[in-house]
Amino acid sequence: MTNLATAERALVLMKAQRRVADARNRFELRQEACNVRAPDGSVRFVYTPEFDEAVRRWEAAKAKLMKLYRETVVADDLPDDLVREVLRARVAHGGAKAWCRRIAAIPAGIALDPDWVKAEVRELSMGRRDRVPTALRIALMLEDEEAAS
């Protein structure tokens, strides 16, 4: 993947992330509008068609973003924040055990411990770690090379 292709893919992903954020904001606004205070002071939630539409749009935007992440080719120059999301999407899609088996089945693949992969993905998702471990980055690149051949 060239620097230009990586930059174009990063732009596509950033736009999709923005759509998810916008859909979430719409959802939160609709959610607040559905909270109705009764005369006795209690609060109840009243579903509206607008709320259902906001939920549907948010879920659709998230699903499209996750699909884009799974389809993203990991290259040396792909930023770590995008590699983190690609890793999270691929591991979440089929589970850590299945992903590790796919990586181990690749010729020259790496044998990864699914529990370690889950722990690393959790650490990355929670922001406790900034960089994706080299072994996981290499595994993602091997997976993409295998898919391309």
Side-chain angles (χ1 to χ4, degrees):
M1 195 175 227
T2 65
N3 288 339
L4 180 60
T6 301
E8 288 173 349
R9 188 59 174 191
L11 181 63
V12 167
L13 291 171
M14 286 182 356
K15 286 180 181 179
Q17 289 170 339
R18 185 73 245 156
R19 280 192 294 275
V20 170
D22 290 344
R24 182 185 172 111
N25 289 341
R26 269 190 242 106
F27 163 76
E28 288 174 352
L29 290 172
R30 296 294 182 210
Q31 186 178 24
E32 287 298 318
C34 290
N35 291 330
V36 177
R37 186 168 298 279
D40 65 354
S42 64
V43 177
R44 63 188 183 109
F45 192 82
V46 178
Y47 285 97
T48 63
E50 294 85 7
F51 175 77
D52 289 336
E53 178 65 16
V55 170
R56 189 192 63 72
R57 282 186 179 194
W58 185 31
E59 288 174 349
K62 288 190 304 186
K64 184 176 181 181
L65 178 61
M66 292 302 277
K67 183 176 184 247
L68 286 171
Y69 282 141
R70 286 192 309 271
E71 294 170 351
T72 299
V73 175
V74 176
D76 290 333
D77 58 348
L78 193 67
D80 266 337
D81 60 330
L82 294 179
V83 174
R84 177 183 61 234
E85 297 303 325
V86 169
L87 175 66
R88 190 173 63 83
R90 289 186 190 179
V91 170
H93 183 65
K97 287 181 183 177
W99 187 75
C100 289
R101 277 195 303 269
R102 278 197 316 271
I103 298 302
I106 296 172
I110 305 168
L112 298 170
D113 178 30
D115 293 329
W116 176 76
V117 171
K118 283 191 280 189
E120 288 297 322
V121 169
R122 189 176 325 112
E123 293 290 313
L124 289 164
S125 296
M126 295 174 72
R128 293 182 184 160
R129 189 179 303 267
D130 294 334
R131 296 188 51 83
V132 175
T134 306
L136 293 177
R137 186 183 270 271
I138 290 171
L140 289 167
M141 290 191 295
L142 285 172
E143 183 180 30
D144 291 335
E145 288 174 10
E146 180 70 16
S149 60

